[in-house]
Amino acid sequence: MQKSECHGGVQLRNRGADNCDQRTSSSIQIKHRTTVQQGKSSSSTSSPESARKFHPRPSDKLNPKTINPFGEQSRAPSAFAAIYSKGGIPCRLVHGSVKHRLQWECPPENLPFDPLLITLAEGLRETKHPYTFVSKEGFRELLLVQGAPEKAVPLLPRLVPVLKAALVHLDDDVFARGLNALVQLSVVVGPSLNDHLKHLLTSGSLIIIKSKIPTYCSICC
């Protein structure tokens, strides 16, 4: 009778030990899974990309990744730059060892002034190379061709506002190109420009010109 009780007690202790081992093993497995999950969670949230997802910055809404408001590529090109890139200006810049020059696709005297001369005048407001050189030199060379006065005079009502925009520009180089173009135009068209001076040299542009050239005096004032 005592032996059976003893034997039964041994069996109970063995079952208790097995249950304890099972509970210990299950606890270890749970802790391991929890640790792995926490590691994955921490690694995913530690990356900058995940940090932005969980904590988005206010600027992310204003400046999406696909838009860079400070990049030059996102800015639309000017009208002159767009025309030049599409071949609308029948000349190209040739870089020389000493100075640059223009190479025309055909003799300039064979080219129509309308709208080429006006387009070149609009390019005087450019501030980047090669547009600055192409517009300045192209405007000058076009006015040197034979028959330039007859071609340029009818365009004065459209040329004057464009040159005025260059004269009131804040960039000094743009102003200088606009003033030089005006001088070149006045030499070509002569007195025909007088009727347009009152529109060209308004009080605002006169102040700007005199601030840059104190000795300047307008015949309109």
Side-chain angles (χ1 to χ4, degrees):
M1 183 68 180
Q2 292 179 352
K3 290 182 180 180
S4 61
E5 290 177 355
C6 180
H7 181 69
V10 171
Q11 289 179 344
L12 290 175
R13 285 196 298 271
N14 289 339
R15 291 195 191 98
D18 292 339
N19 292 335
C20 182
D21 291 340
Q22 291 177 358
R23 287 193 299 270
T24 301
S25 177
S26 300
S27 177
I28 291 174
Q29 291 177 358
I30 293 172
K31 288 181 179 180
H32 177 70
R33 287 195 297 268
T34 303
T35 302
V36 172
Q37 292 175 354
Q38 290 177 348
K40 291 181 179 179
S41 175
S42 61
S43 62
S44 61
T45 57
S46 61
S47 63
E49 189 70 24
S50 299
R52 284 193 293 269
K53 291 180 180 179
F54 288 99
H55 303 285
R57 297 171 298 183
S59 59
D60 290 340
K61 297 180 179 180
L62 299 175
N63 304 323
K65 291 182 180 180
T66 55
I67 299 176
N68 182 7
F70 303 105
E72 294 185 0
Q73 298 297 328
S74 63
R75 298 176 183 175
S78 64
F80 182 83
I83 293 174
Y84 181 80
S85 63
K86 294 179 181 178
I89 310 297
C91 63
R92 282 295 177 268
L93 174 63
V94 177
H95 293 84
S97 57
V98 179
K99 64 178 183 179
H100 306 322
R101 65 180 180 87
L102 290 181
Q103 179 177 350
W104 296 88
E105 297 177 359
C106 63
E109 55 268 19
N110 297 336
L111 295 171
F113 274 36
D114 188 8
L116 182 56
L117 188 64
I118 298 173
T119 303
L120 291 170
E122 291 174 345
L124 296 172
R125 298 197 304 271
E126 295 289 336
T127 57
K128 294 182 179 180
H129 185 76
Y131 311 128
T132 53
F133 181 84
V134 171
S135 59
K136 177 186 68 174
E137 187 64 17
F139 188 88
R140 186 188 72 85
E141 292 186 12
L142 206 58
L143 288 178
L144 293 177
V145 303
Q146 186 176 3
E150 293 78 9
K151 297 179 180 180
V153 169
L155 300 179
L156 287 178
R158 296 158 61 190
L159 276 173
V160 166
V162 177
L163 294 178
K164 178 182 175 181
L167 291 175
V168 299
H169 201 281
L170 297 178
D171 190 288
D172 290 342
D173 293 334
V174 173
F175 166 81
R177 287 193 293 271
L179 186 59
N180 289 334
L182 178 59
V183 172
Q184 295 161 8
L185 182 63
S186 66
V187 171
V188 172
V189 301
S192 298
L193 187 61
N194 293 341
D195 294 337
H196 302 276
L197 289 178
K198 60 181 178 294
H199 304 293
L200 183 65
L201 300 177
T202 60
S203 58
S205 58
L206 181 61
I207 294 174
I208 296 175
I209 293 175
K210 288 187 71 68
S211 67
K212 300 177 185 293
I213 308 175
T215 59
Y216 177 83
C217 182
S218 172
I219 63 175
C220 298
C221 301

